[in-house]
Each structure stands twice: as structure tokens, then as C-alpha cells.
Amino acid sequence: MKQLLSLPIVILTLFACSDDDNSTTGLIEGTYIGTFYRSSPNARWVTADVQITFEEGRFSGSSSITRYPAICEGTYQRSTSSTIQFSNECPFTADFDWTFILDGEFQLRQEGTKQILSRSYEGLVSDTYELGLK
């Protein structure tokens, strides 16, 4: 009889412990709006308004400034609870700085209701997306 009672508890535990659970970082599927900016010690960059939709392992988005950042569309996957990996599937021309493409690994953290995606280049330049659910 004890085995019969413990079976529902085991089943509930298995469903509660999913690796795909985004609640550890707060990132949930949906459309986010916010800002993007690049920062560095020696340059002043403008802020762009961005919109990114996350749905079933895919992302798509846009920016208020052409190719700053270049979001387009592709796939995403959480590497760890604090990182997210983007794979941008769009073709781009060679006439701009490709580091502005939403691609590669970003740190992911939550600050209040905002999701912060960030990455840095050689410790001097960093890109930051500050996003809130629409």
C-alpha cells in the first residue's frame, strides 16, 4: 500500500524537475521590448529600441536602428541557467560590424521584471539588451 501512495509523489517530482524550465532565470516565451546599447571606456554609443520574440526555441526581432543591433531570426538555447546561446540564420552583407548581430553566447540575468542579456569583447566593449515582457 505504501508503494501505491508513493507512486504519485514520484511522478509529480519527475514532472517538476524539467531541464527546459526557464523559471531559474525568469526567461519565458513571449515578446519582449526594451533597449540595446553598446558600451566601452572610450566611446559613446546610442541606445536602440528593440523587440524580440522567443517561441519554441526560436527567436525573431527588430531594432529601431538599422543593423544596430542586427537581430533578424534564428534559434536559441539556454547553455546554463545563466547563459543563452543564439544562432542567427539570416544572411548579412559585409558592409557593417558583424559583432552587432544577435549571435553567440550571452550572459542572462534577471533584474526585477527585466531580463538582461549581455556579452563583452576582450573586457573592453560590451553589448547589453534590457528587455521586459510586452
Side-chain angles (χ1 to χ4, degrees):
M1 184 70 169
K2 286 184 181 180
Q3 290 175 339
L4 262 144
L5 291 175
S6 63
L7 184 60
I9 294 171
V10 171
I11 291 171
L12 287 173
T13 302
L14 289 174
F15 282 109
C17 297
S18 169
D19 288 338
D20 294 332
D21 180 17
N22 289 320
S23 63
T24 56
T25 60
L27 180 66
I28 57 174
E29 290 188 349
T31 299
Y32 289 78
I33 57 173
T35 58
F36 167 84
Y37 57 91
R38 177 166 279 184
S39 57
S40 67
N42 301 322
R44 187 173 194 158
W45 299 84
V46 298
T47 299
D49 295 323
V50 295
Q51 178 173 313
I52 305 174
T53 299
F54 297 96
E55 188 175 341
E56 297 181 4
R58 297 197 55 80
F59 74 89
S60 62
S62 60
S63 173
S64 63
I65 301 173
T66 304
R67 297 186 291 199
Y68 178 81
I71 300 173
C72 202
E73 64 182 272
T75 61
Y76 73 93
Q77 180 178 11
R78 289 210 356 240
S79 305
T80 68
S81 65
S82 63
T83 60
I84 186 168
Q85 182 76 31
F86 291 95
S87 180
N88 205 307
E89 297 172 345
C90 293
F92 292 100
T93 57
D95 61 342
F96 76 105
D97 182 348
W98 279 25
T99 62
F100 286 116
I101 298 172
L102 179 58
D103 195 55
E105 187 174 85
F106 282 76
Q107 297 298 311
L108 173 63
R109 70 183 191 281
Q110 185 171 353
E111 290 183 6
T113 60
K114 287 186 179 179
Q115 302 301 315
I116 311 297
L117 304 171
S118 62
R119 69 174 168 192
S120 63
Y121 307 94
E122 300 175 10
L124 298 174
V125 177
S126 63
D127 291 341
T128 303
Y129 292 83
E130 294 182 3
L131 306 170
L133 254 168
K134 185 175 177 180

